Amino acid sequence: MAPSLVLAGARVVLPSGVLDDGRVVVEGTKIAAAAPGNAEVIDVTGHWLVPGFVDIHNHGGGGASFSGTAEQILTAVRTHRLHGTTTLVASTVTDEMDLLVRQAGLLSELAEQGEIAGIHFEGPFISPCRKGAHSEELLRDPDPAEVRKLIDAARGKARMVTLAAELPGGTDSVRLLAEHGVIAAIGHTDATYEQTVEAIDAGATVATHLFNAMPALNHRAPGPIAALLEDERVTVELINDGTHLHPAALELAFHRAGADRVAFITDAMDAAGIGDGRYMLGPLEVEVSEGVARLVEGGSIAGSTLTLDRAFKRAVTVDRLPVADAVQALSVNPARLLGLSDRIGSLEPGKDADLVVLDADFDVKGVMRQGEWVVTPPQLA
């Protein structure tokens, strides 16, 4: 067993607030309350220690996608771990149902092995009016029987399904998901305000990338944005890459929903961690230029090339959010949504030793997952 570690001298973000000159003790795979006498002490003075990031909406990275082979899936997972994401839900994109069922089986195996935290099905139950980077000819109404087919294929590892609740079967599908303990997320939707309220009352609890792929806020027809922001039962996803959202939109979401109802996501595709070029997102071709991914045909934004360390840095340096609020959005809230708060999401004794070491400029200098260094701090290199 590896010797106990004490990470000492950093500014540590705890549930109670920021502790200057703090310390975190790691024993095996867990955070401990106290260190034994023979513990190795690592000086991380001048750095921040924050919980490992939790991404609930991610399609790939490192040149690979979660619609690929097991090897490709692991490549994407490891790419995001290098950027501080210690817990990740793998998102699919719209495809033929048979292919989605097959992919759910593969992803569920990797979830059982602990490589991913579960599966998010984004499509095919979404609106053709707000399809974004999804293939329109493969879209379908959210028939509860078909939704159930995907849940069953995931063998208990389905975490979330994004759907347009205004479509035929939408509200019934939301109820079905809620009954099975799967998050019903409203997104890629053309719903009215009233239809969105009905979906929330039926059990929907997440807004898939709020503002994106849904009607804009209007003073006479407020649409889904107002309904999702105002309801205390809903957590709103935000893609904080500087492309998907104007800073004022992000500020509005934090002001209205509060820091405890925001989850930063990447919505990343293959190019995350790689760079510009041509990629595939499901069956559609994507061109990435200057870090922005768009469909070759039509030009719609096609996911992002974001990693959560960049979302964190932008939140505190550009958006001027308090570091504790950024930690809420990147770790605490998504862990709670996944029902994993007893294990991850905060730096507390008894929880998994998942943490990120950031320097004074909020750049990643170390990543630990379950007590093992994924990125070794320079002090130990």
Side-chain angles (χ1 to χ4, degrees):
M1 184 173 171
S4 300
L5 296 178
V6 180
L7 302 173
R11 302 188 72 186
V12 182
V13 182
L14 301 172
S16 57
V18 177
L19 178 64
D20 292 326
D21 195 19
R23 47 189 260 149
V24 173
V25 179
V26 176
E27 278 198 83
T29 64
K30 301 291 183 180
I31 296 172
N38 63 345
E40 178 184 359
V41 178
I42 302 169
D43 184 4
V44 284
T45 302
H47 292 72
W48 292 84
L49 282 181
V50 300
F53 306 143
V54 181
D55 196 352
I56 61 171
H57 186 156
N58 185 317
H59 297 279
S65 84
F66 295 123
S67 298
T69 65
E71 184 179 352
Q72 290 168 333
I73 292 164
L74 291 174
T75 293
V77 168
R78 289 163 184 159
T79 296
H80 285 281
R81 284 182 189 165
L82 294 174
H83 294 273
T85 297
T86 51
T87 301
L88 183 149
V89 175
S91 302
T92 63
V93 295
T94 296
D95 213 324
E96 300 280 2
M97 279 296 290
D98 288 348
L99 292 177
L100 289 173
V101 166
R102 190 185 317 152
Q103 197 64 19
L106 175 58
L107 289 167
S108 67
E109 290 177 13
L110 292 169
E112 288 161 3
Q113 295 167 18
E115 297 291 350
I116 60 174
I119 308 165
H120 164 220
F121 297 101
E122 187 179 28
F125 311 116
I126 60 176
S127 171
C129 302
R130 305 287 174 178
K131 65 182 185 298
H134 291 256
S135 179
E136 184 168 352
E137 59 267 25
L138 297 175
L139 300 182
R140 56 182 67 208
D141 291 337
D143 178 350
E146 298 233 285
V147 174
R148 177 64 186 269
K149 187 177 180 181
L150 285 184
I151 296 173
D152 289 345
R155 303 201 304 260
K157 300 303 180 181
R159 291 291 192 179
M160 183 162 65
V161 176
T162 293
L163 49 77
E166 76 277 8
L167 296 175
T171 303
D172 287 340
S173 291
V174 168
R175 292 193 185 97
L176 172 74
L177 292 166
E179 288 167 2
H180 285 80
V182 179
I183 297 166
I186 303 302
H188 288 276
T189 177
D190 206 38
T192 64
Y193 173 87
E194 291 76 15
Q195 289 169 328
T196 308
V197 168
E198 182 182 3
I200 296 169
D201 287 339
T205 56
V206 166
T208 293
H209 43 54
L210 186 75
F211 299 109
N212 299 117
M214 59 183 63
L217 191 63
N218 182 283
H219 61 295
R220 289 196 184 91
I225 293 172
L228 294 162
L229 276 176
E230 73 184 8
D231 199 298
E232 295 294 323
R233 296 170 290 184
V234 176
T235 298
V236 298
E237 295 181 349
L238 298 177
I239 308 171
N240 192 27
D241 62 353
T243 298
H244 281 79
L245 295 176
H246 189 282
L250 182 136
E251 184 179 5
L252 171 65
F254 267 89
H255 178 76
R256 184 65 187 87
D260 61 347
R261 287 179 47 218
V262 172
F264 282 145
I265 60 164
T266 59
D267 194 17
M269 45 78 71
D270 301 26
I274 294 290
D276 292 354
R278 290 246 174 154
Y279 300 86
M280 297 300 294
L281 184 61
L284 302 177
E285 191 172 15
V286 175
E287 176 80 33
V288 178
S289 178
E290 296 182 354
V292 178
R294 294 185 180 273
L295 290 182
V296 171
E297 287 192 23
S300 290
I301 292 178
S304 85
T305 61
L306 188 63
T307 50
L308 281 183
D309 58 335
R310 285 172 43 214
F312 189 107
K313 181 169 181 171
R314 181 179 175 84
V316 297
T317 62
V318 177
D319 304 311
R320 301 296 178 186
L321 290 177
V323 171
D325 285 1
V327 168
Q328 280 277 125
L330 282 154
S331 305
V332 179
N333 299 339
R336 184 191 67 240
L337 273 174
L338 296 176
L340 298 176
S341 292
D342 60 329
R343 283 184 37 220
I344 62 170
S346 58
L347 300 177
E348 296 178 273
K351 293 193 177 183
D352 288 356
D354 292 356
L355 56 86
V356 182
V357 182
L358 302 168
D359 66 15
D361 295 321
F362 300 101
D363 292 319
V364 170
K365 295 300 177 182
V367 179
M368 177 180 284
R369 182 175 186 269
Q370 296 180 5
E372 301 253 346
W373 289 112
V374 178
V375 176
T376 304
Q379 297 93 319
L380 297 178

